[in-house]
Amino acid sequence: MLQCCRCPGGRAVMRWRHYVAYKNHNVLTWRQSIRYRHFSSKVNSTIYKNLLCTLARPPCTSGAVWTLGRCTPLCRPGLSPARPHSSSAGGTDPIQVHKEKLSLWFSHLPREEKHFGGVFSPETMHVAPLIVERKPEESRGILQGSSMVQAAQLPSIDVGQLFDAECCGGSHGSGRGINVLLYGAVGTGKSTVVRKLVLDWCAGNTLTQFSLVIPFSCEDLSLLGRATSLRDLVGRKYLHLRRTPLLSGDSNQAKNVLFIFNGMEKMGLDFRLASTELCSDPNEPLPSGTIVVNLLRKYLLPEANILVTTRLSALDRIPQRYVTRFVQICGFSDPDRQRAYFTSRLLQQSAERPSAEAQSLIELLYLNLQRKSQLATACFLPSYCWLTCATLQLLHFTNSSGPVRTLSNIYTSFLRLNFGGEVLEAGGGAVGAQQGSLMPYVVRTVGKLAFDGVTNKRTSFSEAELEQWVGGKTKTDEELRQLAVFRTDVLDFFLVPIVDSHVSDESDDEEEKRYVFAVPAMQEYMAALYVLLGENKSALEKLSQQVSSAIGQAGEDVTTLVSILSKFIPLRIFAVFNLLRLFPKFYEQIVSHSKGRIARTMTAEMFRSEDSFNEDVLDQVEQSLLGVQGPQPQQNLDRKSFELYPIFMGGLLHYGNRVLLEHLGCSIKSSTVAQITSTLRKHLVREIRREQPPEELMDLLTLLYEFQNPRFSAEVMSSLKVLRLSTVRMTPLKCFILSSVLNCAPSRHLLDELDLSSCHLTQDLLVMLQPAFLRTHSLKLCDNTLMETGARHLLEALPGNRSLRRLSLMHTGLGDAGAADLAQSLAQHEFLEELNVAYNNIGDAAALMLVDACREHPSIHTVHLYLNRLSEVGKQSLYVRGVPQQSTGRRVKVLASVTEGSDLSEDWHPILSVIRKNSASWEQSRVREQLEAFLRDLESGRRQQHSLWKRLHFRRVEKGVREALRMLEKSSI
């Protein structure tokens, strides 16, 4: 770009001067000079050629800009003086380039957003949190739920109103820019608000009074080692702004500039004159902290406007005389804001129309929030709204074609989003203060509290207990400073006041204030992390680790010393040195025993006998989010089961989660994983050989899925022969877990039985379960509303299955059409031996068609057709069809009634057993009707018998039928 030096307010270099300087030189020498002085390898060769074509033109004498061969006025009447650089080489406005690049950078979403299908943008899923004007002294305290409630009653401020002159005491009138300090605790959404603000400015939707917005990450600035000027600092971050006159310091051009410094607590700002020199020159190299301090002092570019975000503990870093306006971000203050957030996430699972299931979830969530439940308290922080949506996305919208996601990964990603890069300052903000990752401190304090609660089966904690476990025994000023920062910024993030109507029975004082984890599962996650990081070491383990570490630091020196002394000292003394050399091995044995104890703890927590009748952990997680519909069971809050605790331990051993934790400063070594895995495998194999309730088996599958170790899962599943998951409410996630875990087993390993009766299976779930259907000899899908369409999906999944021998579709709503489809497709299932389609509203014609197909089948020997819509003639016909064929001599046993003509069926007992077992869940009028028909058949057959023995046998069966009728009536009452 050629710029005229006569234009006012500019420090631009006039390219034309080079022509005057080199006009007496030959063309080759002049071109070499121009190439050397003005064109680096970064300049486009086309622009260079076009520029050479303009050299024969005379110089511009009326303030103008040269742009590729024509002279364009720079300072025309009506042209804003704040944007004298609106044209550049190629005719591109640097400000427009800046907006485009900012839009690209700030529109990038972290990979954790893939939990929501990747169809979101910051514009569609952003819900403005509550922002109020509030002095720092009004928001100080620890675990102050009431203070947040008071903040919710203050008038809300829109982000676009932060720099309104009338709200800032008329600072613009004095020519000085406005300094706004936006503060809030971890998880309130400070970074999200900044991102949305920048994107809105780029789109021209807000803060349009600013010609230039320059955002900085204070974490990046704190890592900048060498001194640099403000202009170079901007140019280093935003190359297209390296020559902008808005930052030259001339006149008051910077009044239309807004600086944003996000995360100020990561910088050790020092406003003392003895420590930070004064500077008003934007071209003078200074440390990054000094530049920020002088900007806030209004000594450097005093007309510039500044937005600073920080945590609560760092409010005192900036003296109040340098802050024009304090505003606090408080999260989502009411259920309507929370509902808007959930709607923006859950109703946009894809670009298509929102599903009815997603809309139902929104309604259930909103009802739970309106009850002022514990979830509503947690969702005051937008971070927990994200966690809620991510968890529901996993539970209800798992797709077999999507990326593998686990509950442990969601919680680990949640902590990485909120604590990644967060530091705990040991020096209280002093220059040169030692900084460390915040997450290890969280594990040592909050994790310790969570582990104590899990160990003692408690979920609520008093203020005294918080002081004991979180405060601990502090000895030094540094520890006290760390504790103060942690309490101010982080403690409210994890623990909130209890909102339930009852508290622990251990408390004698009914007015005692108690606290619980914002999300119940977070307590179990933090306890699991606390254990796996080795924070609960015994005294012997800690001592042996210290001694082993000391010897290890000596390294080869000890070996060299021992080898020399062995030639001069007695053997008895030499033995002591050998013992010291062997001590690390002794320590390894102690560590191995410790890891084995962790594995044994995981197994014991997985298969607690008192928890056997609880719902599976995935249902428990869902209920904690959506609430319990209907009357809640009367149970003590502090005596709940912690069945997620061992599952989280298994999930945290997965490599992907360990990588995320490594970013947070929490390391779980591979040797630790190997030691735990070796012991855990033995205990799990032993436990699953015992008969376990369906819910416990589902929890086992969830553990194996969270672990994401195919070899480990294969070794455990190889010991499992029968998998009975009846009455477990299957969801997309559970179906995906079942198929995934079964696929880990060797192809030669097949289950003897896979029971999915009464599991609320649908057509879509059948598709997800197709891999599981190939892994069993006997498949039971009873009491699932499959209907005709579902049966067709099932039949499409079964062809090619060479393992299935017995298929039970009892009470699945097949009807005549489903039975006809089944009859036509039986030939494709050549290894099937037994078929159960009882209680499916099948009529005579469809039943006869099905039995005829079974007679033609090479291996089917038994068909169950009782409790169907069969006439007496139809039953007799079915009985006749089951007679052995003359050609093959093979009989197909047809079970249609407890009688076969005038004789008893030899299978009357299994038929009545099935009816008794399911009488409570089946349609009672239909079952009663069938039982009464059985009684009529039995009475008729008994009258036709002359043998006393057979008549007594009829009486015995009649007694069983009447007993089933009584059970049916009792269950209805």
Side-chain angles (χ1 to χ4, degrees):
M1 179 175 70
L2 295 181
Q3 290 183 326
C4 179
C5 63
R6 296 181 181 181
C7 297
R11 286 192 176 185
V13 178
M14 182 180 180
R15 264 59 167 185
W16 185 256
R17 289 182 176 179
H18 295 289
Y19 170 74
V20 176
Y22 294 95
K23 63 182 179 179
N24 295 324
H25 288 227
N26 56 43
V27 175
L28 179 62
T29 305
W30 184 88
R31 288 182 176 178
Q32 290 174 342
S33 301
I34 289 292
R35 184 182 298 112
Y36 174 77
R37 290 175 176 268
H38 304 290
F39 293 94
S40 65
S41 59
K42 297 181 180 179
V43 178
N44 188 283
S45 60
T46 303
I47 300 177
Y48 172 62
K49 293 177 181 178
N50 291 334
L51 183 59
L52 292 179
C53 297
T54 67
L55 296 177
R57 296 182 180 272
C60 174
T61 57
S62 61
V65 173
W66 282 98
T67 57
L68 298 183
R70 68 179 184 272
C71 183
T72 305
L74 177 64
C75 299
R76 298 191 306 264
L79 184 65
S80 173
R83 301 182 63 172
H85 54 290
S86 60
S87 298
S88 62
T92 304
D93 184 0
I95 298 295
Q96 187 61 35
V97 173
H98 182 60
K99 289 184 177 182
E100 293 174 357
K101 290 184 178 294
L102 282 184
S103 296
L104 288 175
W105 293 335
F106 281 78
S107 296
H108 175 73
L109 298 177
R111 62 181 178 181
E112 284 78 7
E113 295 297 346
K114 293 181 180 179
H115 291 300
F116 303 98
V119 298
F120 301 99
S121 65
E123 290 79 11
T124 60
M125 64 186 185
H126 179 78
V127 176
L130 174 67
I131 300 177
V132 299
E133 187 164 8
R134 202 179 192 196
K135 294 291 185 180
E137 56 269 16
E138 300 174 2
S139 56
R140 297 296 176 86
I142 303 171
L143 292 173
Q144 47 177 341
S146 58
S147 177
M148 301 302 288
V149 173
Q150 295 172 3
Q153 299 173 354
L154 298 175
S156 179
I157 300 175
D158 184 75
V159 175
Q161 302 173 341
L162 292 178
F163 292 89
D164 288 350
E166 58 272 13
C167 299
C168 301
S171 296
H172 276 301
S174 63
R176 298 171 64 88
I178 297 173
N179 291 349
V180 176
L181 182 57
L182 175 66
Y183 65 94
V186 175
T188 49
K190 300 184 295 296
S191 298
T192 303
V193 166
V194 168
R195 180 175 65 182
K196 187 62 167 56
L197 182 150
V198 172
L199 290 174
D200 285 348
W201 174 78
C202 294
N205 298 330
T206 190
L207 299 180
T208 54
Q209 68 268 35
F210 298 115
S211 301
L212 182 60
V213 172
I214 306 177
F216 283 104
S217 167
C218 290
E219 183 179 4
D220 294 342
L221 295 179
S222 66
L223 299 176
L224 187 62
R226 63 181 180 85
T228 184
S229 67
L230 173 62
R231 300 199 68 178
D232 289 341
L233 185 63
V234 173
R236 178 176 180 174
K237 181 73 174 179
Y238 306 103
L239 184 63
H240 42 278
L241 298 178
R242 64 189 183 279
R243 293 176 181 171
T244 175
L246 293 177
L247 303 178
S248 64
D250 296 341
S251 184
N252 61 345
Q253 294 185 79
K255 70 178 182 179
N256 295 320
V257 177
L258 170 63
F259 289 97
I260 299 177
F261 297 101
N262 188 33
M264 188 267 293
E265 69 277 355
K266 298 182 177 66
M267 298 187 69
L269 300 183
D270 192 346
F271 282 78
R272 295 173 298 177
L273 291 176
S275 303
T276 306
E277 61 180 302
L278 296 176
C279 175
S280 60
D281 185 2
N283 297 302
E284 180 179 350
L286 294 170
S288 59
T290 303
I291 292 177
V292 176
V293 167
N294 279 284
L295 283 172
L296 291 170
R297 284 172 174 164
K298 296 304 177 186
Y299 203 77
L300 177 62
L301 298 183
E303 64 276 10
N305 299 271
I306 302 174
L307 173 63
V308 177
T309 70
T310 187
R311 299 199 312 233
L312 290 170
S313 62
L315 284 177
D316 295 335
R317 300 288 180 80
I318 303 178
Q320 292 198 17
R321 64 178 180 274
Y322 296 131
V323 179
T324 312
R325 195 178 193 187
F326 288 94
V327 288
Q328 182 181 11
I329 180 170
C330 302
F332 296 148
S333 58
D334 56 78
D336 291 330
R337 288 180 189 259
Q338 297 166 355
R339 182 181 188 178
Y341 184 94
F342 293 136
T343 302
S344 67
R345 295 271 180 165
L346 294 177
L347 291 188
Q348 299 185 44
Q349 301 303 321
S350 65
E352 302 174 357
R353 183 178 180 181
S355 63
E357 183 179 3
Q359 294 176 350
S360 177
L361 283 178
I362 292 294
E363 294 303 321
L364 290 175
L365 271 173
Y366 188 56
L367 288 175
N368 198 23
L369 296 173
Q370 284 183 317
R371 297 190 190 107
K372 297 183 179 179
S373 62
Q374 201 68 56
L375 178 67
T377 305
C379 288
F380 201 91
L381 295 180
S383 296
Y384 278 102
C385 291
W386 182 94
L387 180 62
T388 299
C389 288
T391 305
L392 288 175
Q393 169 75 16
L394 174 71
L395 292 175
H396 287 271
F397 303 105
T398 297
N399 191 335
S400 56
S401 62
V404 174
R405 296 167 295 173
T406 65
L407 196 61
S408 303
N409 180 253
I410 287 178
Y411 275 76
T412 307
S413 300
F414 171 73
L415 293 179
R416 195 185 79 87
L417 280 172
N418 288 279
F419 293 95
E422 295 290 344
V423 296
L424 182 69
E425 297 164 288
V431 177
Q434 183 181 2
Q435 295 182 342
S437 177
L438 178 59
M439 195 61 204
Y441 191 89
V442 170
V443 175
R444 290 193 297 269
T445 52
V446 178
K448 187 176 183 180
L449 177 71
F451 177 73
D452 177 72
V454 170
T455 304
N456 298 293
K457 301 299 177 186
R458 295 188 299 109
T459 59
S460 67
F461 308 91
S462 65
E463 292 183 349
E465 289 168 336
L466 293 183
E467 179 66 28
Q468 175 188 357
W469 294 111
V470 177
K473 297 180 179 179
T474 54
K475 299 179 181 179
T476 65
D477 292 342
E478 179 178 316
E479 291 174 339
L480 289 173
R481 282 193 295 267
Q482 288 180 341
L483 180 60
V485 171
F486 175 76
R487 284 180 168 178
T488 304
D489 291 339
V490 183
L491 198 55
D492 280 338
F493 181 84
F494 289 99
L495 294 162
V496 296
I498 193 171
V499 299
D500 294 278
S501 58
H502 56 278
V503 296
S504 173
D505 291 340
E506 299 176 4
S507 175
D508 296 331
D509 185 5
E510 295 182 358
E511 300 299 328
E512 183 183 17
K513 196 171 185 179
R514 301 187 69 84
Y515 301 90
V516 296
F517 278 82
V519 171
M522 183 59 72
Q523 179 179 354
E524 300 178 67
Y525 178 91
M526 293 303 301
L529 186 58
Y530 178 81
V531 172
L532 291 179
L533 291 178
E535 295 295 338
N536 63 328
K537 292 185 178 74
S538 63
L540 177 60
E541 291 169 348
K542 293 179 181 178
L543 177 62
S544 58
Q545 182 182 23
Q546 294 172 359
V547 177
S548 177
S549 176
I551 296 177
Q553 291 175 359
E556 296 180 357
D557 295 338
V558 174
T559 304
T560 305
L561 179 63
V562 170
S563 62
I564 296 175
L565 293 180
S566 62
K567 301 178 180 179
F568 306 101
I569 61 178
L571 293 178
R572 286 178 294 179
I573 300 178
F574 180 66
V576 175
F577 286 94
N578 282 333
L579 179 62
L580 292 176
R581 293 176 61 186
L582 292 175
F583 191 87
K585 295 183 179 180
F586 175 66
Y587 170 68
E588 289 298 328
Q589 293 179 356
I590 295 177
V591 171
S592 178
H593 177 76
S594 172
K595 303 305 182 291
R597 185 174 67 247
I598 293 176
R600 291 189 293 273
T601 300
M602 291 175 64
T603 309
E605 293 291 337
M606 277 288 299
F607 299 103
R608 281 183 174 271
S609 58
E610 61 268 27
D611 299 339
S612 298
F613 300 100
N614 293 327
E615 295 178 285
D616 62 83
V617 294
L618 297 177
D619 278 353
Q620 294 178 34
V621 171
E622 181 183 291
Q623 289 178 6
S624 69
L625 300 179
L626 302 180
V628 179
Q629 304 304 315
Q632 297 188 7
Q634 295 296 325
Q635 58 181 4
N636 191 350
L637 179 68
D638 279 351
R639 294 300 175 186
K640 70 178 292 279
S641 60
F642 291 96
E643 297 178 275
L644 263 176
Y645 170 54
I647 291 177
F648 274 138
M649 280 199 279
L652 288 172
L653 296 177
H654 175 50
Y655 176 75
N657 288 326
R658 289 191 285 127
V659 170
L660 294 179
L661 290 173
E662 190 74 33
H663 295 164
L664 294 172
C666 302
S667 177
I668 301 177
K669 298 181 179 179
S670 298
S671 57
T672 300
V673 178
Q675 291 168 343
I676 294 176
T677 302
S678 177
T679 306
L680 181 62
R681 182 190 305 110
K682 301 175 184 178
H683 288 275
L684 286 181
V685 168
R686 183 188 63 212
E687 289 294 334
I688 64 174
R689 286 175 178 171
R690 307 172 185 174
E691 186 174 358
Q692 300 289 344
E695 292 76 15
E696 295 296 303
L697 288 176
M698 190 67 239
D699 291 348
L700 171 65
L701 296 176
T702 304
L703 170 65
L704 297 178
Y705 174 75
E706 292 280 333
F707 204 173
Q708 288 293 306
N709 186 330
R711 182 177 178 180
F712 178 83
S713 299
E715 293 175 351
V716 174
M717 294 302 294
S718 297
S719 303
L720 192 64
K721 295 297 183 182
V722 177
L723 188 56
R724 295 190 176 96
L725 298 177
S726 59
T727 69
V728 172
R729 186 179 62 89
M730 297 301 288
T731 62
L733 175 60
K734 294 177 187 177
C735 292
F736 184 71
I737 288 175
L738 175 59
S739 297
S740 301
V741 174
L742 286 178
N743 273 341
C744 293
S747 57
R748 64 181 181 275
H749 175 73
L750 298 173
L751 296 171
D752 291 338
E753 179 183 320
L754 175 58
D755 188 357
L756 296 175
S757 302
S758 304
C759 289
H760 305 274
L761 295 179
T762 62
Q763 302 170 17
D764 295 334
L765 298 183
L766 287 177
V767 176
M768 300 185 70
L769 287 170
Q770 287 184 10
F773 295 157
L774 304 176
R775 293 287 185 165
T776 181
H777 291 304
S778 176
L779 177 61
K780 294 184 177 181
L781 300 175
C782 312
D783 299 320
N784 291 296
T785 311
L786 303 182
M787 310 302 289
E788 175 188 348
T789 309
R792 189 174 298 114
H793 279 81
L794 176 64
L795 296 174
E796 292 173 356
L798 292 178
N801 189 334
R802 306 177 61 87
S803 63
L804 191 62
R805 300 294 183 266
R806 294 175 297 278
L807 176 62
S808 179
L809 298 175
M810 181 173 58
H811 195 209
T812 53
L814 295 180
D816 289 342
D821 290 342
L822 184 59
Q824 294 176 3
S825 63
L826 278 181
Q828 304 176 29
H829 313 294
E830 52 183 333
F831 297 96
L832 197 61
E833 298 176 355
E834 185 174 348
L835 180 63
N836 188 341
V837 289
Y839 197 3
N840 270 298
N841 202 29
I842 299 175
D844 291 347
L848 290 172
M849 183 188 306
L850 183 59
V851 171
D852 287 341
C854 292
R855 293 175 65 190
E856 301 296 329
H857 194 275
S859 57
I860 292 181
H861 55 72
T862 303
V863 182
H864 299 254
L865 280 165
Y866 43 88
L867 296 182
N868 277 303
R869 193 168 35 84
L870 303 175
S871 64
E872 295 301 325
V873 176
K875 292 178 184 178
Q876 185 63 30
S877 300
L878 292 174
Y879 170 72
V880 173
R881 298 291 179 96
V883 174
Q885 304 180 47
Q886 294 181 357
S887 59
T888 61
R890 193 175 65 85
R891 177 191 177 188
V892 176
K893 185 187 299 183
V894 180
L895 308 182
S897 176
V898 293
T899 60
E900 294 177 357
S902 59
D903 291 328
L904 279 172
S905 170
E906 60 183 7
D907 296 294
W908 66 269
H909 190 272
I911 294 175
L912 287 183
S913 297
V914 171
I915 294 175
R916 290 195 193 101
K917 181 180 179 181
N918 298 279
S919 59
S921 58
W922 285 352
E923 184 182 353
Q924 297 185 355
S925 60
R926 179 64 184 277
V927 175
R928 182 181 295 106
E929 178 184 347
Q930 290 292 323
L931 289 176
E932 291 173 350
F934 285 170
L935 276 179
R936 291 193 297 269
D937 292 344
L938 288 171
E939 292 172 353
S940 175
R942 175 166 51 82
R943 287 193 296 267
Q944 298 178 31
Q945 289 294 336
H946 300 286
S947 170
L948 178 61
W949 176 255
K950 288 186 177 181
R951 293 174 65 182
L952 290 175
H953 195 30
F954 269 91
R955 289 283 190 183
R956 178 187 174 191
V957 179
E958 288 179 33
K959 182 180 179 181
V961 173
R962 289 189 172 93
E963 182 181 352
L965 277 170
R966 286 195 298 270
M967 290 179 59
L968 188 65
E969 294 175 357
K970 185 177 180 180
S971 63
S972 64
I973 295 176

